[in-house]
Structure formats: C-alpha cells, structure tokens
Amino acid sequence: MSQYSFTISDEVLRSACMFNNIDIENRQDEMILFAIRGALPAENGICLLDYTNHIKFENDHLLERVHINYYYPRCVIGQWLPAERKVAVFPGSTVPNLKVVERNRKRKHEFNCMVPGFYDYVKGQHPRSDSGYQPHRAIRLNSQITLRRANYTMRSGQPVIDYGPTASISVSNPGDNIHCARNNPSTTRVSAIRGTNYSPIFCMSDYYSSYGCQVIVGCPPQYIPRGQSNGDWNAWDKFISNAYDDFAQDQTNFKYLLLDSADVLDISETNTSHPALFKVLHGSSGPQVERLQRGLQRMRSANTGNPYYSGTIDGDFGRNTSLALIQFQKDTLNGRALGYANEDTFRSLGV
C-alpha cells in the first residue's frame, strides 16, 4: 500500500463528519451519499473495467489519492449505510470535463466546481425535461451550495481549468445533479500518477458529461450503444438501482457529503482530535458554527462598516453564513476565499 492509499469505511466517514461538524445523528437509518474528490480504487494492477468489488457494500474499500486532470473521471461517489456500517464506492467525477468546456467556449466561465460540504438532494429526472438529452432517473440538487466558477486559461497552447482560491466563489443552486457520466467502455492508456503505484490503464473514455454535475461512470442500459453489453463496467446502473430499487427504495431525500481526498487521507490516519483537521463548512451545524456566526457578526467590514453576518445565531451553516464568510475571507486574504472556516479563520475573527 502506497503513502497515498487510504481506507474508506463507516468509521472514517463518521470521523470526517466529526471533524467537519456535520450531524448525522438522525440519519442512521438512511442512505447517505458521499464523494471524495481526487480518489480511485487502489488495488495494484486494476484496469478499472470491472468495478464489481468496489460497488458492493462492504465494511471498507481501499482507495488511492490521484490527481484531478479534468479529462478522466478521477473521483469516487459513494453510498453509505450507517445502520449497517457499510459503504460502496463508484468511480466518477465531481468536476467538469475539459472537452465539454472546449465545446462551449461562450460558457467557459460558467462551469461549476462544488466546494466541499453537506448538501441536500432528492430523487428526480436528469435533465428535468423529457426532451433533454438521454433523460434518466437521477438524484437532483435540492439546496443552495457553495461553488466556484472556473478560471479558464491557455498555458503553452493547452487549455487549463483552475479552481484555486482566486477563482470566483458564490452561493446558489446551479442544478449540479448526480447523474450518469454518459460514457461507455474503451481502453485508454494514460500516464501513471507520479509517486503512486496506481495502474496506468484506465478503461473508460476520456469524456464524461459534466458542466459541474456530480457524475458516475456508465450509462442507463436503454442508452448503451448497440453491440455493447451492460457489464460490470456500468457503475451507474448499480448506483441508481441501489438508490431507487434496493437499499433506499422508500427514501426520497438524500444528504450528500463532498470531501477532498487530502482531507480524508489525513483523517483516516489520525486517531486523535487533531485541531488542524477541524473545519466548519456549508452544511455544518452546532456550537462551532455558532462560534463562527458570532465572530462574523462582531467583525465589521472596513468598506461598509456593517457586520459581515447579520442573521440569527442558529448554528446552521447555510447560505447567509457562507456569503458572510466568503466576503470576510476576500477582505482579509487578498481576494482569496476558502469557502470554509478553519482554526486560522477563527483566530482572525478573534473567537
């Protein structure tokens, strides 16, 4: 196992919720959806054509941190059953596809990247209209989210997407649903990730249909091209069957926990309350959010003289808290906004 490998399990997800001040106490009997940005199955030599071992509910799955490149799916989207302490993981993406950006240059600054958080989703069709391209049952965004808009540039003649701290950040509901990636099996050889033992063979095409939606590799069976079977490569078919037909048949609403692989790797390796790992972010709740709200309420903008936060101290990190935090960070971090609060943020607020 390399230094970039980690195990995802019920225990790790509970720790991630604790470190991010996310309350799941009343959701023990639900299916909770989660995603880890920049991670894929970690078994040595895997070619990722057969996802059978990963899409099963197990006590844990071995993952490996990988680099996001906006060409290939480089994330996992998972299903978590807290009552059974089981998880299943499905290869996919939580960032836009660069080929989609290239084909829609007039919209090149409208491609979203969801900031890690705890968001609300509901069963529904994607796209919403029956006249849309390949309508299929999916999981639809049902809340405001914190998101970034891309910095799209050319470097050395190559297109580059940059969602770093200088990219614009806002709060809205852009309709970033969870749907199929609309891709089919192929054998595409890509460079191995430097510093890891991850296989250089990736068996899905270098395209996935995302302007910012959360997508899972595969395709609804009714849209698979003639001559191709609905085989073990089709992670999407199993994901949506779990949510609609099997494990969450009677569940309408879902919580969706989006995390970064670097944070999950750190959390999986610590058994203590490491203060550097504690954050509050969109969807957090409890005393630490109240602490943040009080700090933002006490601190006044040098530009307007008004408090950054003027809402109720309710311990609920939603739209108003997110907007207040973003503005505070822009004003104090030279225009850079993290979209979440850590201990440095609390020190800056004096709380």
Side-chain angles (χ1 to χ4, degrees):
M1 187 166 66
S2 81
Q3 61 178 318
Y4 298 101
S5 299
F6 60 94
T7 297
I8 190 67
S9 64
D10 173 87
E11 180 182 2
V12 171
L13 287 169
R14 288 178 189 271
S15 294
C17 289
M18 184 268 292
F19 279 115
N20 288 284
N21 292 273
I22 290 169
D23 182 11
I24 63 162
E25 184 63 29
N26 296 323
R27 304 187 179 279
Q28 298 298 312
D29 295 327
E30 298 180 6
M31 174 185 284
I32 298 175
L33 308 179
F34 68 93
I36 303 175
R37 179 172 288 154
L40 282 174
E43 281 84 345
N44 291 337
I46 187 172
C47 80
L48 295 183
L49 183 62
D50 182 350
Y51 302 126
T52 305
N53 291 333
H54 306 96
I55 63 179
K56 292 178 180 178
F57 281 104
E58 302 286 359
N59 292 329
D60 54 63
H61 290 284
L62 186 64
L63 303 179
E64 184 155 342
R65 188 181 177 198
V66 297
H67 176 65
I68 294 291
N69 61 15
Y70 303 97
Y71 279 106
Y72 300 91
R74 285 283 186 263
C75 309
V76 293
I77 298 177
Q79 295 173 329
W80 175 21
L81 302 175
E84 300 181 26
R85 297 187 177 271
K86 302 284 188 180
V87 294
V89 293
F90 304 80
S93 183
T94 67
V95 300
N97 180 265
L98 193 50
K99 287 191 173 182
V100 174
V101 177
E102 282 288 273
R103 288 204 300 266
N104 295 271
R105 292 194 175 206
K106 290 182 179 180
R107 297 180 56 192
K108 65 178 179 290
H109 295 298
E110 298 180 16
F111 292 84
N112 308 321
C113 187
M114 185 184 291
V115 173
F118 194 49
Y119 301 114
D120 296 318
Y121 279 76
V122 64
K123 288 179 180 176
Q125 180 176 285
H126 177 88
R128 188 181 300 273
S129 171
D130 288 334
S131 62
Y133 180 64
Q134 291 185 345
H136 59 281
R137 58 185 185 174
I139 313 291
R140 295 185 58 84
L141 181 62
N142 195 43
S143 66
Q144 301 278 306
I145 64 170
T146 301
L147 60 95
R148 292 191 183 278
R149 299 286 190 183
N151 285 331
Y152 175 85
T153 59
M154 299 292 291
R155 295 178 188 167
S156 302
Q158 298 297 316
V160 174
I161 293 180
D162 178 13
Y163 281 113
T166 59
S168 66
I169 185 169
S170 60
V171 183
S172 67
N173 182 340
D176 286 347
N177 304 324
I178 301 173
H179 64 82
C180 73
R182 299 192 179 99
N183 51 11
N184 297 292
S186 65
T187 302
T188 304
R189 185 175 292 274
V190 298
S191 298
I193 307 302
R194 185 165 54 185
T196 77
N197 60 3
Y198 186 72
S199 169
I201 302 175
F202 194 91
C203 293
M204 295 301 292
S205 60
D206 61 342
Y207 169 83
Y208 53 89
S209 178
S210 175
Y211 295 88
C213 286
Q214 318 295 285
V215 299
I216 295 167
V217 297
C219 189
Q222 65 268 32
Y223 301 123
I224 295 174
R226 181 177 300 175
Q228 293 184 357
S229 66
N230 183 26
D232 293 324
W233 60 271
N234 198 352
W236 168 256
D237 191 33
K238 181 61 175 175
F239 175 92
I240 205 65
S241 294
N242 285 349
Y244 272 78
D245 305 323
D246 300 324
F247 297 92
Q249 182 177 9
D250 298 325
Q251 185 175 333
T252 301
N253 297 81
F254 295 87
K255 279 293 189 177
Y256 177 62
L257 174 62
L258 173 61
L259 301 165
D260 183 82
S261 61
D263 293 333
V264 180
L265 177 60
D266 289 340
I267 289 169
S268 69
E269 293 177 344
T270 184
N271 295 316
T272 61
S273 300
H274 197 301
L277 298 179
F278 278 91
K279 297 177 182 177
V280 291
L281 37 70
H282 203 136
S284 296
S285 60
Q288 295 304 315
V289 179
E290 293 181 8
R291 178 185 171 202
L292 173 65
Q293 291 170 333
R294 289 192 182 95
L296 291 168
Q297 190 176 72
R298 188 177 67 180
M299 192 69 69
R300 292 181 176 270
S301 168
N303 297 321
T304 66
N306 297 323
Y308 283 99
Y309 181 72
S310 57
T312 304
I313 306 298
D314 58 6
D316 181 13
F317 194 133
R319 173 183 172 81
N320 291 339
T321 304
S322 184
L323 290 172
L325 176 62
I326 288 169
Q327 192 57 56
F328 171 75
Q329 291 179 331
K330 285 182 177 179
D331 290 348
T332 58
L333 298 175
N334 297 318
R336 301 163 65 91
L338 303 174
Y340 61 84
N342 53 21
E343 282 302 309
D344 288 340
T345 308
F346 287 117
R347 280 193 291 269
S348 297
L349 290 167
V351 294

